[in-house]
Amino acid sequence: METPAPTSCPYLLSNQKLLHLVRHAQGLHNLEAEMNRGSLTQFTDAALSPLGWQQVREQRENVSASGMLEGIEVVITSPLLRTLQTSVGVFGSEEEQDHCGNKTSTLNHPPIIATELCRERMIESEEDILWEADERETNEAVAARGIKFVNWLLGRKEREIAVVSHGVFLQETLIALKNKCLHLMDTDPFTRFGNCEIRSVIVFNESVECIPNFGLVTGM
């Protein structure tokens, strides 16, 4: 997996927020899909695969070396297991023992907050609070929820925020934003995220507020 150097930007205006968008590392459901195309076992809440944990370790080194970890004030994550594991693995505290045997944190570790707003598209489950009978969330609905989520982020006090979510949600959200944000990466912002990939964008309050109907768009 290629893990391009993350981007940080200390020169933000008062109406701007820097968002580091992260797709979760490889989950067991991703591995199953690669091994058995067309016959995917249904995972309701897959954990990370061994490769996923390796991706987390590599990205942890990247964000630490780039200085990004020191700038992030909060991590907002989907509540599913693979995103929680990615959030803690990449951005969580890293502890070591001092000469007295006490555990001490060696790096900045921002708080991690889970919200349903940035979870994967609805799953057909009676226990899923976003579930609607006989219906899965459309790309348009995912995009609308993405803009609602970004507006929620804009209302928070933090200026630099990491978001750990899912490929479809992140892609549809960026498509909905279109030219309403500044992309800080060289990669095409509208393509599918790789596992554990980080893309950084600067979002402007006024730009998102002017998107009608929470940015309903058609899928790619």
Side-chain angles (χ1 to χ4, degrees):
M1 178 196 69
E2 292 185 3
T3 51
T7 303
S8 188
C9 179
Y11 308 110
L12 293 175
L13 300 178
S14 59
N15 68 334
Q16 298 176 344
K17 287 188 187 292
L18 175 56
L19 307 182
H20 303 292
L21 307 178
V22 189
R23 184 189 176 195
H24 62 80
Q26 186 193 68
L28 292 173
H29 68 305
N30 299 133
L31 182 62
E32 177 75 6
E34 292 175 4
M35 295 176 61
N36 301 292
R37 296 185 184 278
S39 179
L40 178 61
T41 301
Q42 296 300 311
F43 288 88
T44 57
D45 194 6
L48 294 185
S49 68
L51 176 57
W53 282 113
Q54 178 183 333
Q55 293 169 342
V56 164
R57 289 190 293 271
E58 291 175 357
Q59 198 60 277
R60 173 72 181 211
E61 294 178 359
N62 285 347
V63 299
S64 299
S66 69
M68 176 190 289
L69 194 59
E70 296 302 316
I72 292 172
E73 299 169 75
V74 66
V75 178
I76 307 296
T77 181
S78 157
L80 296 184
L81 180 57
R82 55 192 179 274
T83 45
L84 291 172
Q85 290 177 327
T86 301
S87 298
V88 173
V90 175
F91 301 107
S93 63
E94 189 173 80
E95 295 182 333
E96 64 179 16
Q97 288 190 344
D98 61 20
H99 64 281
C100 296
N102 300 314
K103 288 186 176 180
T104 59
S105 178
T106 60
L107 291 171
N108 173 58
H109 47 97
I112 298 174
I113 301 173
T115 175
E116 293 281 344
L117 277 176
C118 66
R119 64 161 297 161
E120 185 59 286
R121 91 167 69 229
M122 296 179 191
I123 305 170
E124 297 178 4
S125 165
E126 293 180 357
E127 297 179 356
D128 191 326
I129 67 171
L130 293 179
W131 176 71
E132 297 178 11
D134 301 322
E135 214 174 287
R136 280 178 61 85
E137 212 176 10
T138 64
N139 287 349
E140 290 84 355
V142 173
R145 180 160 54 88
I147 296 302
K148 183 177 181 180
F149 171 67
V150 172
N151 274 301
W152 178 74
L153 292 179
L154 290 172
R156 296 187 60 88
K157 64 180 181 179
E158 299 89 0
R159 304 286 303 284
E160 187 168 349
I161 301 172
V163 175
V164 183
S165 186
H166 307 267
V168 171
F169 179 81
L170 294 173
Q171 183 182 24
E172 293 299 327
T173 299
L174 285 179
I175 293 172
L177 287 173
K178 293 184 178 177
N179 297 323
K180 304 298 183 181
C181 61
L182 175 63
H183 303 279
L184 302 180
M185 303 293 287
D186 294 331
T187 55
D188 183 345
F190 305 122
T191 59
R192 185 69 179 269
F193 279 64
N195 285 120
C196 215
E197 180 184 355
I198 299 179
R199 297 182 192 175
S200 301
V201 298
I202 293 178
V203 179
F204 310 87
N205 288 44
E206 295 84 354
S207 296
V208 178
E209 289 170 359
C210 73
I211 299 178
N213 300 319
F214 288 125
L216 285 175
V217 297
T218 58
M220 291 185 70

